[in-house]
Amino acid sequence: MTQELIETVDVLRPGKSLVVAIDGPSGSGKSSVSKEVARRLKLAYLDTGAMYRALTWFCLDNGTDLDDGASVEAASKSLPLEISTSPLEEYVRVGGADVTLAIREPSISAAVSAVATTLGARTELIRRQRELIDKHHRRMVVEGRDITTVVAPHAEVRMLLTASEEARLRRRGIQLGGSQNAEQLAAQVTERDAKDSTVVNFTRAADGVVTLDSSELDFAGTVDAALSIVTGIVNHQALNRD
């Protein structure tokens, strides 16, 4: 798996690791908020959900039976994935093919839970995610559904970004440009959350994880609140070490 390494400028914890782990349900704003937080802090950025979507695209393209866990696991190990780790650029490629837009199609959204709940595939993608964190010298914003508890449980900052169901459905609808009806939106948000929650808990904050409820916040306000959480935790840790 190849990707660019972005040049980081030490803003917080100079010369030391700074992993910001952000979990949350569908439509909570994880991707857009995490990307902006990474840009503002000059950190690398990883959308782990895009990795599961890329694997889903790969399986469907190859005719892999999504109900066959062994086959999905084998596909995850052979997945020829390239994914951006820069908050300034977005791309996902599988075997050289640009699937950045294709993995956001409703057909992928409808199928991704079958892949994401395959434990062998999760294990492989988690291994790749940790590899990317280390490759960036542990200076990265990582977002998904099990980042604070499984992928990076020892991250310097762990955050659960959540919002009301009404707010999440509204945001996802805007994100998709009004191309989905109410039933399709519900399938992408609430139904997928219900399926994925069978293998990972991303609706309640684990011990040590700070909850940020963005139901009443706009994008700028959510980013500011997230940055305040990061700086507050890092400064508190620095004081305790001194």
Side-chain angles (χ1 to χ4, degrees), residues 113-201:
S113 285
V115 170
T117 54
T118 299
L119 297 182
R122 292 191 72 85
T123 298
E124 170 59 18
L125 291 189
I126 289 169
R127 182 194 68 77
R128 295 193 190 204
Q129 291 155 15
R130 289 172 174 166
E131 184 179 79
L132 285 171
I133 294 171
D134 289 339
K135 192 166 187 176
H136 286 276
H137 311 293
R138 297 190 60 80
R139 293 191 62 83
M140 176 179 271
V141 176
V142 190
E143 56 99 347
R145 292 172 178 269
D146 58 359
I147 312 304
T148 64
T149 55
V150 178
V151 178
H154 303 298
E156 284 72 26
V157 180
R158 297 188 298 152
M159 191 184 313
L160 175 66
L161 178 58
T162 188
S164 67
E165 181 175 314
E166 179 184 3
R168 292 188 290 117
L169 287 170
R170 182 179 67 253
R171 290 169 185 170
R172 182 53 59 89
I174 294 172
Q175 180 186 27
L176 296 173
S179 62
Q180 309 293 301
N181 59 35
E183 184 177 338
Q184 290 172 317
L185 281 175
Q188 288 207 14
V189 176
T190 56
E191 291 180 23
R192 185 189 165 195
D193 284 349
K195 292 176 182 177
D196 288 0
S197 65
T198 62
V199 294
V200 62
N201 183 5

Side-chain angles (χ1 to χ4, degrees), residues 5 8 15 22 26 28 36 44 57 67 73 110 138 142 180 210 212 232 242:
L5 293 172
T8 60
I22 301 179
S26 298
S28 60
E36 180 61 13
W57 183 92
D67 293 324
E73 179 179 354
R138 297 190 60 80
V142 190
Q180 309 293 301
V210 178
L212 171 54
D242 293 340

